[in-house]
Amino acid sequence: MRLLNDIAYKMRRFPILKRNLKTIYQYVGNLLSDKKTMPMDIIQISNDQEEHLFGYYDKCPWNKDENRMIYLQVSDASEDVAPRKTANIILKDLITNEERVIATTKAWNVQQGCMLQWMGPDYNSRIFYNDFIDDKLKSVILNIEKNEKQIINYPIYTIDKTGKWGLTLDFYRLHRMRPGYGYSNRLDETERDFLPNDYCIWKVDLEKNVAEGIITYRQLYDLDMKESMQGAEHKVNHIMINPAGSRFMFLHRWIKNGVKNTRLITADIDGKNLCNLLDDGMTSHCTWKNDEAILGWARSNELGTHYFLIQDKTGECQKVAEEKLLTDGHPTYSPNGEYFVTDTYPDFKRKQHLYIYNEKEEKLIEIASVYSHIKYRDDCRCDLHPRWSYSGNKICFDGAQKNKRQVYVIDVGDKL
């Protein structure tokens, strides 16, 4: 696995060849796969009639009481990374097993959905999602107890725990530059502008329904500018707020002649005190461990490619799960902070693996190995994106073991 990761990183300079070799690799492996059914201890939450997904790994589909779940119902999630078709938002009662449509959205993609999530501070009465309303990207706060909607004039990427404010970016630019993560409702007006003279991150006051630009592309360009940035096309992605709501992280990416570079940056909630934490070419999926430390899969020129625990403001890196977790995944810490769960991309035989890592004991536990249908590959792949329940006893993931994407849950209480 380590060798494959190194080859993939070196092949980034030849994107077309890399994609073709990857396709051949996937089809050969699929022919050799045993395609076993889902393990017995994994429960399918959604029904088989349609396709279902929740979205990204940094949000929770359960309400705080864990008696209800939310997810998307879509007609097809294998042919288009960001369809303009309407998706249903499903509320499932876990006591009665009743599924009902409580809303719809026209702003969703196959990787992050519509940013569907329960809203703080109670995480029981309100849900949040992005939508395309009156020819504009907006977002909706839906009180499911009162069936009342509040329309926010901006799409949102992430929300703080109080439910009072959020952060956002240009979803049209993101869609064009990273298919499957933005929205396709309209064309990207910045397509010919490699370094827009504009903001790239905004803070949105959800109570006042106003947005304020807090970080510009030029600020990122001027922050420890590198030669590879000159003439490159820039974007941001993966904004995540720390537990206290005092700082946030994001990835700054620039692409030149098909070569992608990424670095991890943090800032105060008002966009000030930018810190360039890791800038050695590749940083992938991250998560806050606490208010001062970030866990992420990244490359360090000095330490190699690993999961690192990265200290905010200083960038000090410490290897985590060295020689145990050897590939990129989507990590999230358990509610008590003792463990993190992560996943893998499909291996040669199209198996995706779910792992829990105990940092204190340095113990790795494989909790599942599931087949991923070959129709879900490349930009339309079905990442597992594991998420903890609030109690820390269950994990939810999106899976494609069959020929339809579905939402699954595994009980991990007796595995820890």
Side-chain angles (χ1 to χ4, degrees):
M1 186 64 72
R2 175 86 66 189
L3 177 61
L4 290 175
N5 289 333
D6 290 341
I7 292 173
Y9 181 77
K10 292 176 181 178
M11 288 292 293
R12 69 195 179 110
R13 297 183 179 277
F14 311 98
I16 297 177
L17 177 59
K18 178 181 176 181
R19 178 179 286 265
N20 290 338
L21 290 175
K22 184 177 179 181
T23 298
I24 295 172
Y25 174 88
Q26 290 180 102
Y27 272 99
V28 172
N30 187 65
L31 290 174
L32 299 175
S33 178
D34 56 15
K35 303 180 180 63
K36 288 183 179 178
T37 58
M38 197 67 75
M40 292 294 292
D41 58 346
I42 296 177
I43 299 172
Q44 182 177 320
I45 296 297
S46 50
N47 68 69
D48 281 327
Q49 278 65 51
E50 302 285 347
E51 292 206 56
H52 300 86
L53 66 145
F54 175 70
Y56 222 37
Y57 68 99
D58 62 332
K59 298 169 179 62
C60 181
W62 281 278
N63 65 331
K64 192 69 175 287
D65 292 340
E66 295 187 21
N67 58 1
R68 294 183 289 189
M69 294 182 74
I70 50 175
Y71 44 86
L72 292 181
Q73 181 186 78
V74 303
S75 58
D76 194 310
S78 65
E79 295 184 351
D80 193 338
V81 295
R84 298 183 184 182
K85 297 179 180 178
T86 299
N88 292 328
I89 296 175
I90 301 295
L91 175 69
K92 176 154 187 174
D93 187 314
L94 298 177
I95 306 301
T96 65
N97 283 325
E98 177 192 8
E99 284 184 319
R100 63 185 178 95
V101 178
I102 57 172
T104 62
T105 177
K106 294 182 179 179
W108 62 279
N109 56 60
V110 297
Q111 295 300 330
Q112 299 181 330
C114 60
M115 298 301 181
L116 181 64
Q117 60 196 282
W118 295 90
M119 284 192 71
D122 69 341
Y123 296 100
N124 268 316
S125 59
R126 299 184 300 165
I127 67 167
F128 180 93
Y129 57 94
N130 288 330
D131 199 356
F132 189 66
I133 302 170
D134 297 331
D135 205 35
K136 292 182 179 179
L137 283 176
K138 299 184 180 183
S139 53
V140 178
I141 298 173
L142 173 62
N143 188 314
I144 59 176
E145 309 297 343
K146 300 178 180 179
N147 195 28
E148 293 178 352
K149 283 185 179 181
Q150 177 189 355
I151 306 298
I152 305 299
N153 292 329
Y154 314 91
I156 302 295
Y157 195 96
T158 187
I159 303 173
D160 86 311
K161 288 186 174 182
T162 67
K164 294 181 178 180
W165 59 273
L167 298 172
T168 194
L169 45 67
D170 186 340
F171 282 96
Y172 293 139
R173 184 177 181 87
L174 181 58
H175 167 71
R176 179 178 58 81
M177 296 184 65
R178 188 66 173 97
Y181 290 81
Y183 305 130
S184 66
N185 305 83
R186 296 179 64 178
L187 296 177
D188 173 25
E189 296 179 354
T190 70
E191 182 172 1
R192 297 184 180 181
D193 197 344
F194 281 16
L195 188 71
N197 183 27
D198 198 356
Y199 291 100
C200 56
I201 297 178
W202 293 260
K203 183 180 179 182
V204 181
D205 186 319
L206 299 176
E207 295 180 325
K208 297 180 180 179
N209 203 356
V210 294
E212 173 190 8
I214 57 174
I215 297 177
T216 67
Y217 289 100
R218 174 57 65 174
Q219 282 179 275
L220 300 183
Y221 183 86
D222 291 338
L223 178 66
D224 301 329
M225 194 273 289
K226 307 178 79 167
E227 184 179 351
S228 60
M229 294 181 186
Q230 299 176 7
E233 191 170 15
H234 297 254
K235 70 180 177 75
V236 297
N237 197 4
H238 300 305
I239 308 172
M240 293 185 180
I241 303 167
N242 72 357
S246 59
R247 301 269 292 170
F248 68 92
M249 66 169 150
F250 63 96
L251 298 183
H252 171 209
R253 284 180 170 154
W254 60 97
I255 303 171
K256 185 177 181 179
N257 299 325
V259 179
K260 179 177 68 176
N261 285 280
T262 308
R263 61 181 178 176
L264 175 64
I265 296 176
T266 55
D268 292 343
I269 58 171
D270 58 3
K272 294 181 170 42
N273 296 319
L274 288 166
C275 292
N276 179 14
L277 296 186
L278 196 53
D279 194 2
D280 288 343
M282 190 280 287
T283 301
S284 188
H285 304 97
C286 299
T287 188
W288 287 97
K289 178 179 182 178
N290 50 45
D291 292 328
E292 291 83 31
I294 296 167
L295 176 72
W297 179 263
R299 174 180 291 273
S300 163
N301 291 338
E302 179 182 355
L303 301 173
T305 302
H306 301 277
Y307 271 109
F308 291 108
L309 197 60
I310 309 157
Q311 295 300 314
D312 188 15
K313 300 183 180 179
T314 69
E316 179 184 349
C317 289
Q318 175 186 347
K319 294 180 185 178
V320 176
E322 184 179 7
E323 304 307 325
K324 292 183 174 66
L325 286 171
L326 305 178
T327 185
D328 190 9
H330 304 88
T332 305
Y333 277 91
S334 60
N336 63 11
E338 294 184 11
Y339 315 90
F340 68 82
V341 64
T342 191
D343 58 347
T344 71
Y345 295 103
D347 61 20
F348 180 58
K349 294 187 177 181
R350 300 292 299 168
K351 292 298 180 69
Q352 294 169 283
H353 305 274
L354 275 174
Y355 296 105
I356 290 177
Y357 186 70
N358 183 322
E359 284 187 320
K360 185 177 180 179
E361 299 179 3
E362 298 184 352
K363 180 181 178 182
L364 184 67
I365 307 167
E366 181 172 355
I367 59 172
S369 174
V370 297
Y371 171 73
S372 181
H373 199 284
I374 189 64
K375 70 185 281 190
Y376 300 96
R377 63 186 187 279
D378 300 325
D379 290 335
C380 282
R381 68 191 179 278
C382 181
D383 295 343
L384 299 181
H385 293 157
R387 318 121 192 151
W388 294 90
S389 64
Y390 284 96
S391 65
N393 292 323
K394 296 182 176 64
I395 287 171
C396 172
F397 65 92
D398 295 347
Q401 188 272 328
K402 306 174 185 178
N403 62 350
K404 290 181 180 178
R405 231 180 257 247
Q406 300 295 352
V407 177
Y408 297 91
V409 167
I410 179 170
D411 192 319
V412 296
D414 60 350
K415 295 178 171 60
L416 302 179

